[in-house]
mmCIF file of all heavy atoms in Angstrom:
data_model
loop_
_atom_site.group_PDB
_atom_site.id
_atom_site.type_symbol
_atom_site.label_atom_id
_atom_site.label_comp_id
_atom_site.label_asym_id
_atom_site.label_seq_id
_atom_site.Cartn_x
_atom_site.Cartn_y
_atom_site.Cartn_z
ATOM 1 N N LYS G 31 144.968 127.741 124.592
ATOM 2 C CA LYS G 31 144.690 127.691 123.151
ATOM 3 C C LYS G 31 143.574 128.653 122.759
ATOM 4 O O LYS G 31 142.949 128.519 121.717
ATOM 5 C CB LYS G 31 144.308 126.263 122.744
ATOM 6 C CG LYS G 31 145.430 125.251 123.008
ATOM 7 C CD LYS G 31 144.993 123.836 122.652
ATOM 8 C CE LYS G 31 146.124 122.841 122.922
ATOM 9 N NZ LYS G 31 145.712 121.452 122.637
ATOM 10 N N ARG G 32 143.347 129.652 123.596
ATOM 11 C CA ARG G 32 142.226 130.549 123.345
ATOM 12 C C ARG G 32 142.359 131.322 122.040
ATOM 13 O O ARG G 32 141.372 131.607 121.367
ATOM 14 C CB ARG G 32 142.055 131.518 124.517
ATOM 15 C CG ARG G 32 141.493 130.863 125.772
ATOM 16 C CD ARG G 32 141.352 131.879 126.889
ATOM 17 N NE ARG G 32 142.652 132.429 127.254
ATOM 18 C CZ ARG G 32 142.812 133.572 127.912
ATOM 19 N NH1 ARG G 32 141.769 134.294 128.243
ATOM 20 N NH2 ARG G 32 144.021 134.005 128.237
ATOM 21 N N GLN G 33 143.591 131.696 121.660
ATOM 22 C CA GLN G 33 143.780 132.469 120.439
ATOM 23 C C GLN G 33 143.324 131.672 119.218
ATOM 24 O O GLN G 33 142.672 132.208 118.317
ATOM 25 C CB GLN G 33 145.257 132.871 120.296
ATOM 26 C CG GLN G 33 145.563 133.704 119.060
ATOM 27 C CD GLN G 33 144.799 135.014 119.019
ATOM 28 O OE1 GLN G 33 144.578 135.653 120.054
ATOM 29 N NE2 GLN G 33 144.369 135.425 117.841
ATOM 30 N N LYS G 34 143.639 130.372 119.195
ATOM 31 C CA LYS G 34 143.229 129.519 118.083
ATOM 32 C C LYS G 34 141.707 129.366 118.050
ATOM 33 O O LYS G 34 141.097 129.395 116.982
ATOM 34 C CB LYS G 34 143.901 128.148 118.194
ATOM 35 C CG LYS G 34 145.416 128.193 118.058
ATOM 36 C CD LYS G 34 146.033 126.816 118.249
ATOM 37 C CE LYS G 34 147.551 126.884 118.154
ATOM 38 N NZ LYS G 34 148.186 125.560 118.406
ATOM 39 N N VAL G 35 141.117 129.198 119.234
ATOM 40 C CA VAL G 35 139.659 129.090 119.312
ATOM 41 C C VAL G 35 139.016 130.389 118.833
ATOM 42 O O VAL G 35 138.025 130.381 118.091
ATOM 43 C CB VAL G 35 139.206 128.768 120.753
ATOM 44 C CG1 VAL G 35 137.687 128.838 120.874
ATOM 45 C CG2 VAL G 35 139.710 127.393 121.170
ATOM 46 N N ARG G 36 139.604 131.517 119.232
ATOM 47 C CA ARG G 36 139.061 132.826 118.853
ATOM 48 C C ARG G 36 139.090 133.011 117.335
ATOM 49 O O ARG G 36 138.141 133.543 116.744
ATOM 50 C CB ARG G 36 139.860 133.928 119.547
ATOM 51 C CG ARG G 36 139.248 135.308 119.440
ATOM 52 C CD ARG G 36 139.670 136.216 120.582
ATOM 53 N NE ARG G 36 141.083 136.165 120.875
ATOM 54 C CZ ARG G 36 141.582 135.723 122.029
ATOM 55 N NH1 ARG G 36 140.788 135.262 122.975
ATOM 56 N NH2 ARG G 36 142.881 135.720 122.238
ATOM 57 N N GLN G 37 140.148 132.575 116.683
ATOM 58 C CA GLN G 37 140.250 132.694 115.226
ATOM 59 C C GLN G 37 139.124 131.921 114.536
ATOM 60 O O GLN G 37 138.510 132.414 113.583
ATOM 61 C CB GLN G 37 141.609 132.182 114.754
ATOM 62 C CG GLN G 37 142.772 133.081 115.129
ATOM 63 C CD GLN G 37 144.124 132.461 114.802
ATOM 64 O OE1 GLN G 37 144.200 131.321 114.344
ATOM 65 N NE2 GLN G 37 145.189 133.206 115.028
ATOM 66 N N VAL G 38 138.858 130.708 115.031
ATOM 67 C CA VAL G 38 137.790 129.887 114.448
ATOM 68 C C VAL G 38 136.441 130.564 114.647
ATOM 69 O O VAL G 38 135.602 130.612 113.733
ATOM 70 C CB VAL G 38 137.784 128.476 115.077
ATOM 71 C CG1 VAL G 38 136.599 127.663 114.558
ATOM 72 C CG2 VAL G 38 139.088 127.752 114.778
ATOM 73 N N LEU G 39 136.200 131.104 115.840
ATOM 74 C CA LEU G 39 134.924 131.751 116.127
ATOM 75 C C LEU G 39 134.698 132.976 115.244
ATOM 76 O O LEU G 39 133.576 133.242 114.804
ATOM 77 C CB LEU G 39 134.860 132.143 117.605
ATOM 78 C CG LEU G 39 134.692 130.988 118.593
ATOM 79 C CD1 LEU G 39 134.866 131.485 120.027
ATOM 80 C CD2 LEU G 39 133.334 130.322 118.429
ATOM 81 N N ILE G 40 135.757 133.724 114.965
ATOM 82 C CA ILE G 40 135.627 134.914 114.109
ATOM 83 C C ILE G 40 135.285 134.505 112.681
ATOM 84 O O ILE G 40 134.412 135.101 112.029
ATOM 85 C CB ILE G 40 136.926 135.746 114.154
ATOM 86 C CG1 ILE G 40 137.087 136.404 115.527
ATOM 87 C CG2 ILE G 40 136.895 136.834 113.069
ATOM 88 C CD1 ILE G 40 138.420 137.081 115.734
ATOM 89 N N ILE G 41 135.965 133.476 112.173
ATOM 90 C CA ILE G 41 135.689 132.990 110.810
ATOM 91 C C ILE G 41 134.247 132.508 110.697
ATOM 92 O O ILE G 41 133.523 132.866 109.761
ATOM 93 C CB ILE G 41 136.664 131.849 110.441
ATOM 94 C CG1 ILE G 41 138.082 132.403 110.287
ATOM 95 C CG2 ILE G 41 136.236 131.167 109.141
ATOM 96 C CD1 ILE G 41 139.150 131.323 110.147
ATOM 97 N N THR G 42 133.814 131.706 111.663
ATOM 98 C CA THR G 42 132.447 131.170 111.600
ATOM 99 C C THR G 42 131.404 132.262 111.822
ATOM 100 O O THR G 42 130.302 132.188 111.261
ATOM 101 C CB THR G 42 132.248 130.040 112.625
ATOM 102 O OG1 THR G 42 132.606 130.510 113.936
ATOM 103 C CG2 THR G 42 133.122 128.844 112.285
ATOM 104 N N LEU G 43 131.734 133.285 112.625
ATOM 105 C CA LEU G 43 130.806 134.399 112.823
ATOM 106 C C LEU G 43 130.542 135.114 111.498
ATOM 107 O O LEU G 43 129.387 135.411 111.155
ATOM 108 C CB LEU G 43 131.369 135.378 113.851
ATOM 109 C CG LEU G 43 130.573 136.680 114.055
ATOM 110 C CD1 LEU G 43 129.153 136.377 114.519
ATOM 111 C CD2 LEU G 43 131.295 137.596 115.035
ATOM 112 N N ILE G 44 131.599 135.380 110.744
ATOM 113 C CA ILE G 44 131.446 136.051 109.443
ATOM 114 C C ILE G 44 130.576 135.207 108.509
ATOM 115 O O ILE G 44 129.654 135.719 107.855
ATOM 116 C CB ILE G 44 132.825 136.312 108.815
ATOM 117 C CG1 ILE G 44 133.604 137.328 109.655
ATOM 118 C CG2 ILE G 44 132.685 136.811 107.374
ATOM 119 C CD1 ILE G 44 135.064 137.487 109.250
ATOM 120 N N LEU G 45 130.859 133.902 108.448
ATOM 121 C CA LEU G 45 130.083 133.012 107.579
ATOM 122 C C LEU G 45 128.629 132.925 108.032
ATOM 123 O O LEU G 45 127.701 132.906 107.200
ATOM 124 C CB LEU G 45 130.717 131.621 107.550
ATOM 125 C CG LEU G 45 132.091 131.525 106.869
ATOM 126 C CD1 LEU G 45 132.675 130.122 107.031
ATOM 127 C CD2 LEU G 45 131.983 131.884 105.389
ATOM 128 N N ASN G 46 128.404 132.875 109.344
ATOM 129 C CA ASN G 46 127.033 132.784 109.851
ATOM 130 C C ASN G 46 126.230 134.052 109.579
ATOM 131 O O ASN G 46 125.018 133.996 109.345
ATOM 132 C CB ASN G 46 127.043 132.494 111.359
ATOM 133 C CG ASN G 46 127.357 131.035 111.665
ATOM 134 O OD1 ASN G 46 127.047 130.149 110.877
ATOM 135 N ND2 ASN G 46 127.978 130.786 112.801
ATOM 136 N N ILE G 47 126.896 135.207 109.607
ATOM 137 C CA ILE G 47 126.199 136.461 109.286
ATOM 138 C C ILE G 47 125.782 136.474 107.813
ATOM 139 O O ILE G 47 124.679 136.915 107.463
ATOM 140 C CB ILE G 47 127.099 137.673 109.613
ATOM 141 C CG1 ILE G 47 127.245 137.820 111.141
ATOM 142 C CG2 ILE G 47 126.528 138.947 109.008
ATOM 143 C CD1 ILE G 47 128.224 138.894 111.563
ATOM 144 N N ILE G 48 126.663 135.953 106.947
ATOM 145 C CA ILE G 48 126.321 135.848 105.519
ATOM 146 C C ILE G 48 125.116 134.937 105.332
ATOM 147 O O ILE G 48 124.166 135.259 104.602
ATOM 148 C CB ILE G 48 127.532 135.325 104.715
ATOM 149 C CG1 ILE G 48 128.656 136.357 104.724
ATOM 150 C CG2 ILE G 48 127.118 134.996 103.283
ATOM 151 C CD1 ILE G 48 129.963 135.849 104.124
ATOM 152 N N VAL G 49 125.134 133.780 106.004
ATOM 153 C CA VAL G 49 124.029 132.824 105.911
ATOM 154 C C VAL G 49 122.730 133.450 106.425
ATOM 155 O O VAL G 49 121.668 133.325 105.798
ATOM 156 C CB VAL G 49 124.359 131.542 106.708
ATOM 157 C CG1 VAL G 49 123.114 130.697 106.934
ATOM 158 C CG2 VAL G 49 125.417 130.733 105.975
ATOM 159 N N LEU G 50 122.811 134.122 107.560
ATOM 160 C CA LEU G 50 121.634 134.776 108.148
ATOM 161 C C LEU G 50 121.026 135.783 107.180
ATOM 162 O O LEU G 50 119.811 135.813 106.970
ATOM 163 C CB LEU G 50 122.034 135.457 109.456
ATOM 164 C CG LEU G 50 121.034 136.444 110.070
ATOM 165 C CD1 LEU G 50 119.725 135.750 110.398
ATOM 166 C CD2 LEU G 50 121.621 137.103 111.301
ATOM 167 N N ALA G 51 121.874 136.619 106.581
ATOM 168 C CA ALA G 51 121.391 137.653 105.655
ATOM 169 C C ALA G 51 120.705 137.029 104.446
ATOM 170 O O ALA G 51 119.619 137.477 104.034
ATOM 171 C CB ALA G 51 122.553 138.544 105.217
ATOM 172 N N LEU G 52 121.318 135.991 103.892
ATOM 173 C CA LEU G 52 120.741 135.338 102.714
ATOM 174 C C LEU G 52 119.390 134.692 103.037
ATOM 175 O O LEU G 52 118.425 134.821 102.278
ATOM 176 C CB LEU G 52 121.708 134.286 102.168
ATOM 177 C CG LEU G 52 122.991 134.816 101.515
ATOM 178 C CD1 LEU G 52 123.930 133.668 101.159
ATOM 179 C CD2 LEU G 52 122.661 135.629 100.265
ATOM 180 N N LYS G 53 119.321 133.992 104.177
ATOM 181 C CA LYS G 53 118.057 133.346 104.562
ATOM 182 C C LYS G 53 116.960 134.371 104.808
ATOM 183 O O LYS G 53 115.799 134.176 104.409
ATOM 184 C CB LYS G 53 118.258 132.499 105.820
ATOM 185 C CG LYS G 53 119.008 131.200 105.601
ATOM 186 C CD LYS G 53 119.136 130.437 106.902
ATOM 187 C CE LYS G 53 119.886 129.129 106.715
ATOM 188 N NZ LYS G 53 120.057 128.401 107.990
ATOM 189 N N ALA G 54 117.313 135.450 105.493
ATOM 190 C CA ALA G 54 116.312 136.473 105.807
ATOM 191 C C ALA G 54 115.770 137.121 104.536
ATOM 192 O O ALA G 54 114.555 137.296 104.388
ATOM 193 C CB ALA G 54 116.924 137.527 106.730
ATOM 194 N N VAL G 55 116.671 137.458 103.622
ATOM 195 C CA VAL G 55 116.245 138.106 102.375
ATOM 196 C C VAL G 55 115.346 137.188 101.563
ATOM 197 O O VAL G 55 114.256 137.576 101.127
ATOM 198 C CB VAL G 55 117.474 138.540 101.543
ATOM 199 C CG1 VAL G 55 117.042 138.986 100.148
ATOM 200 C CG2 VAL G 55 118.212 139.683 102.238
ATOM 201 N N VAL G 56 115.776 135.944 101.354
ATOM 202 C CA VAL G 56 114.980 134.997 100.572
ATOM 203 C C VAL G 56 113.671 134.667 101.297
ATOM 204 O O VAL G 56 112.621 134.538 100.667
ATOM 205 C CB VAL G 56 115.788 133.712 100.283
ATOM 206 C CG1 VAL G 56 114.930 132.693 99.529
ATOM 207 C CG2 VAL G 56 117.035 134.036 99.470
ATOM 208 N N GLY G 57 113.723 134.515 102.616
ATOM 209 C CA GLY G 57 112.520 134.207 103.387
ATOM 210 C C GLY G 57 111.468 135.292 103.271
ATOM 211 O O GLY G 57 110.277 135.010 103.111
ATOM 212 N N ILE G 58 111.907 136.556 103.342
ATOM 213 C CA ILE G 58 110.962 137.675 103.227
ATOM 214 C C ILE G 58 110.439 137.791 101.798
ATOM 215 O O ILE G 58 109.240 138.017 101.570
ATOM 216 C CB ILE G 58 111.654 138.989 103.657
ATOM 217 C CG1 ILE G 58 111.952 138.947 105.164
ATOM 218 C CG2 ILE G 58 110.776 140.189 103.318
ATOM 219 C CD1 ILE G 58 112.824 140.080 105.652
ATOM 220 N N MET G 59 111.328 137.609 100.805
ATOM 221 C CA MET G 59 110.918 137.719 99.395
ATOM 222 C C MET G 59 109.894 136.654 99.016
ATOM 223 O O MET G 59 108.962 136.912 98.257
ATOM 224 C CB MET G 59 112.145 137.614 98.485
ATOM 225 C CG MET G 59 113.063 138.820 98.521
ATOM 226 S SD MET G 59 114.565 138.562 97.536
ATOM 227 C CE MET G 59 113.867 138.258 95.902
ATOM 228 N N THR G 60 110.070 135.447 99.550
ATOM 229 C CA THR G 60 109.177 134.338 99.177
ATOM 230 C C THR G 60 107.987 134.188 100.114
ATOM 231 O O THR G 60 107.009 133.528 99.770
ATOM 232 C CB THR G 60 109.966 133.016 99.187
ATOM 233 O OG1 THR G 60 110.469 132.768 100.512
ATOM 234 C CG2 THR G 60 111.126 133.062 98.196
ATOM 235 N N GLY G 61 108.057 134.791 101.299
ATOM 236 C CA GLY G 61 107.000 134.617 102.288
ATOM 237 C C GLY G 61 107.036 133.262 102.954
ATOM 238 O O GLY G 61 106.035 132.820 103.538
ATOM 239 N N SER G 62 108.191 132.579 102.919
ATOM 240 C CA SER G 62 108.314 131.231 103.482
ATOM 241 C C SER G 62 108.488 131.290 104.997
ATOM 242 O O SER G 62 109.486 131.823 105.490
ATOM 243 C CB SER G 62 109.502 130.506 102.848
ATOM 244 O OG SER G 62 109.810 129.328 103.574
ATOM 245 N N LEU G 63 107.532 130.721 105.729
ATOM 246 C CA LEU G 63 107.637 130.678 107.189
ATOM 247 C C LEU G 63 108.769 129.768 107.630
ATOM 248 O O LEU G 63 109.510 130.094 108.558
ATOM 249 C CB LEU G 63 106.312 130.189 107.778
ATOM 250 C CG LEU G 63 106.297 129.999 109.298
ATOM 251 C CD1 LEU G 63 106.574 131.314 110.004
ATOM 252 C CD2 LEU G 63 104.970 129.411 109.753
ATOM 253 N N SER G 64 108.915 128.613 106.978
ATOM 254 C CA SER G 64 109.965 127.683 107.379
ATOM 255 C C SER G 64 111.347 128.299 107.174
ATOM 256 O O SER G 64 112.252 128.094 107.982
ATOM 257 C CB SER G 64 109.848 126.365 106.594
ATOM 258 O OG SER G 64 110.001 126.576 105.208
ATOM 259 N N LEU G 65 111.502 129.074 106.092
ATOM 260 C CA LEU G 65 112.791 129.709 105.847
ATOM 261 C C LEU G 65 113.043 130.858 106.810
ATOM 262 O O LEU G 65 114.168 131.071 107.267
ATOM 263 C CB LEU G 65 112.880 130.202 104.398
ATOM 264 C CG LEU G 65 114.246 130.713 103.935
ATOM 265 C CD1 LEU G 65 115.339 129.686 104.217
ATOM 266 C CD2 LEU G 65 114.207 131.056 102.452
ATOM 267 N N GLN G 66 111.998 131.592 107.159
ATOM 268 C CA GLN G 66 112.152 132.653 108.159
ATOM 269 C C GLN G 66 112.495 132.053 109.521
ATOM 270 O O GLN G 66 113.294 132.616 110.279
ATOM 271 C CB GLN G 66 110.874 133.478 108.234
ATOM 272 C CG GLN G 66 110.624 134.341 107.004
ATOM 273 C CD GLN G 66 109.292 135.060 107.066
ATOM 274 O OE1 GLN G 66 108.866 135.526 108.129
ATOM 275 N NE2 GLN G 66 108.617 135.167 105.934
ATOM 276 N N ALA G 67 111.872 130.911 109.837
ATOM 277 C CA ALA G 67 112.214 130.220 111.082
ATOM 278 C C ALA G 67 113.665 129.747 111.039
ATOM 279 O O ALA G 67 114.381 129.808 112.044
ATOM 280 C CB ALA G 67 111.277 129.032 111.285
ATOM 281 N N ASP G 68 114.085 129.275 109.874
ATOM 282 C CA ASP G 68 115.474 128.845 109.705
ATOM 283 C C ASP G 68 116.421 130.021 109.870
ATOM 284 O O ASP G 68 117.517 129.888 110.423
ATOM 285 C CB ASP G 68 115.632 128.197 108.327
ATOM 286 C CG ASP G 68 116.914 127.385 108.209
ATOM 287 O OD1 ASP G 68 117.543 127.110 109.255
ATOM 288 O OD2 ASP G 68 117.284 127.028 107.080
#
């Protein structure tokens, strides 16, 4: 079932990169340590 697992991992990778970018941008803009840690 590796192909099905791979599809899920690719979808979540894209979403996680979006989340990472948003957190990093907001964390740097606000100077929030907790958000940068997040």
Side-chain angles (χ1 to χ4, degrees):
K31 299 177 180 178
R32 288 180 298 161
Q33 181 60 36
K34 295 177 182 177
V35 173
R36 191 155 45 244
Q37 289 173 357
V38 175
L39 288 171
I40 290 172
I41 291 171
T42 54
L43 174 60
I44 294 171
L45 292 174
N46 283 330
I47 290 174
I48 293 172
V49 165
L50 167 61
L52 291 174
K53 286 181 180 178
V55 170
V56 177
I58 292 171
M59 289 175 59
T60 61
S62 167
L63 176 61
S64 62
L65 188 53
Q66 290 175 38
D68 196 14

